[in-house]
Amino acid sequence: MRVLITGVAGFVGGHLVDYLRYAAPEAELWGLAWAEDPGQVPDGVQQLSGDLALPASLLRSLELARPEVVFHLAGATSVASSWQQPDRSFQVNALGTLNLLEALRTIGLGATVVVASSAEVYGSVPAEAQPIAESVPLAPISPYAASKAAQDLIAEQYFRGFAMPTVPLRLSPPTGPRRPPQSAASSFARQIVRIERGLAPPRLAVGNLQAIRDFSDVRDVARAYWLAASRGRPGAAYNVGSGRGVRIGEVLEILRSRTAAAIEVEVDRRLLRASDVDCLVADASRFRNDTGWRPEIPLERTLEDLLDWWRANV
């Protein structure tokens, strides 16, 4: 089996490679990494030179790899940055997905394409509609979320219009070892370790601690990608999450309970957004019923592993 992973040098991409080596050791792995991505392509992955913004380069890469399965993980991933650069979010997430699917169609490859969407596409959902099912209308409130909603709909259109076997995953926030510090949990963990090492004063900067999110361990998410490709229904969009809503402040307290350092918490107004989603909790029953997936790693272990990873890498 020939497998292509876009965004292979990213946080989830590395964990997906780890899981595929276990679940599909016979798979021939190809990776498309953006030239400006500072991440490293994992060993054993054949790297391709291509850019989602350049259709001609995608055609060359796909002709080389000729994948049977594509995991499309590449994208602009920051909600905060999307407010400053909304055009980049749409160019990478929406137009990049369109270019990839069109290149696959042009070549005539019948590859299954698992697309990394986001639970952010649902926007502000009232409490009575939580946990959120896939039937809830898409109502994004950030440029990032709007670009992901467009990506999701492009994948659906290629299934309906061209019978391309696309499977969008609307992911709850993945976290765990190797997570970059732009996310709240990883930022907290890194700051704690810097304080432990005496590299920073004992003050931890935070944003909105009241927001509720449904965190998933990245290793569970890697397994979800594989199950989506091997057991998912083409054309079906799936929520992937634990179904457990956790306040960002609770994440912070779990991490603080794992350190002996005395830490003062300070709200940094630069980390607050004028418009934010209060609560996102996923109903992943459709995905569980179709694929058998369920989360296996509890949040407490995820956060401990994240903290330990930073201790080994600061």
Side-chain angles (χ1 to χ4, degrees):
M1 178 174 58
R2 298 168 71 89
V3 174
L4 171 64
I5 304 170
T6 73
V8 70
F11 165 56
V12 179
H15 284 281
L16 179 56
V17 169
D18 291 345
Y19 185 77
L20 291 174
R21 286 173 176 154
Y22 159 77
E26 77 290 350
E28 185 177 320
L29 302 182
W30 296 75
L32 188 69
W34 188 35
E36 297 182 31
D37 192 329
Q40 184 174 354
V41 175
D43 292 339
V45 176
Q46 300 182 67
Q47 184 173 352
L48 294 166
S49 176
D51 191 321
L52 292 172
L54 301 173
S57 73
L58 285 178
L59 287 169
R60 289 193 298 271
S61 294
L62 291 171
E63 286 283 14
L64 283 171
R66 301 201 65 84
E68 298 162 78
V69 176
V70 177
F71 295 104
H72 180 36
L73 313 186
T77 60
S78 172
V79 176
S81 296
S82 76
W83 291 101
Q84 281 73 51
Q85 296 180 298
D87 55 336
R88 182 175 184 276
S89 292
F90 278 89
Q91 287 166 0
V92 177
N93 295 339
L95 185 58
T97 298
L98 176 65
N99 289 340
L100 174 65
L101 297 182
E102 183 61 16
L104 287 165
R105 188 181 74 85
T106 299
I107 295 173
L109 296 175
T112 296
V113 185
V114 182
V115 177
S117 185
S118 168
E120 290 278 344
V121 299
Y122 294 113
S124 295
V125 178
E128 59 269 20
Q130 305 260 1
I132 304 166
E134 291 87 353
S135 57
V136 171
L138 307 189
I141 65 172
S142 69
Y144 164 79
S147 71
K148 281 293 186 180
Q151 177 187 57
D152 197 304
L153 292 172
I154 289 167
E156 180 180 358
Q157 185 266 312
Y158 268 73
F159 170 73
R160 293 181 180 276
F162 303 116
M164 184 177 290
T166 58
V167 185
L169 298 186
R170 296 170 184 169
L171 299 156
S172 296
T175 194
R178 308 180 211 160
R179 185 70 158 111
Q182 288 79 7
S183 69
S186 195
S187 172
F188 298 160
R190 181 176 182 271
Q191 290 184 74
I192 287 171
V193 172
R194 285 178 55 79
I195 292 168
E196 289 176 338
R197 301 280 170 82
L199 300 173
R203 291 187 297 276
L204 195 151
V206 303
N208 178 13
L209 296 180
Q210 301 308 312
I212 295 172
R213 291 294 183 270
D214 178 353
F215 292 96
S216 296
D217 189 286
V218 66
R219 294 158 292 192
D220 281 331
V221 169
R223 182 165 46 86
Y225 275 113
W226 172 244
L227 289 172
S230 56
R231 301 183 189 176
R233 286 184 288 118
Y238 291 109
N239 291 336
V240 176
S242 70
R244 173 190 175 188
V246 179
R247 281 192 316 109
I248 303 297
E250 183 179 344
V251 169
L252 175 58
E253 290 311 310
I254 293 172
L255 288 167
R256 289 180 71 190
S257 72
R258 269 64 175 178
T259 181
I263 296 173
E264 179 184 348
V265 175
E266 290 186 348
V267 175
D268 184 341
R269 295 194 173 278
R270 293 171 298 178
L271 300 176
L272 299 175
R273 301 174 195 151
S275 179
D276 200 3
V277 176
D278 293 332
C279 179
L280 281 176
V281 181
D283 176 357
S285 56
R286 174 190 288 181
F287 192 56
R288 181 174 63 248
N289 293 337
D290 282 3
T291 69
W293 179 88
R294 63 181 65 246
E296 295 178 350
I297 302 174
L299 179 62
E300 291 74 13
R301 179 187 153 195
T302 300
L303 295 176
E304 288 175 0
D305 290 350
L306 173 61
L307 192 58
D308 287 343
W309 184 82
W310 276 115
R311 285 174 175 149
N313 288 276
V314 167

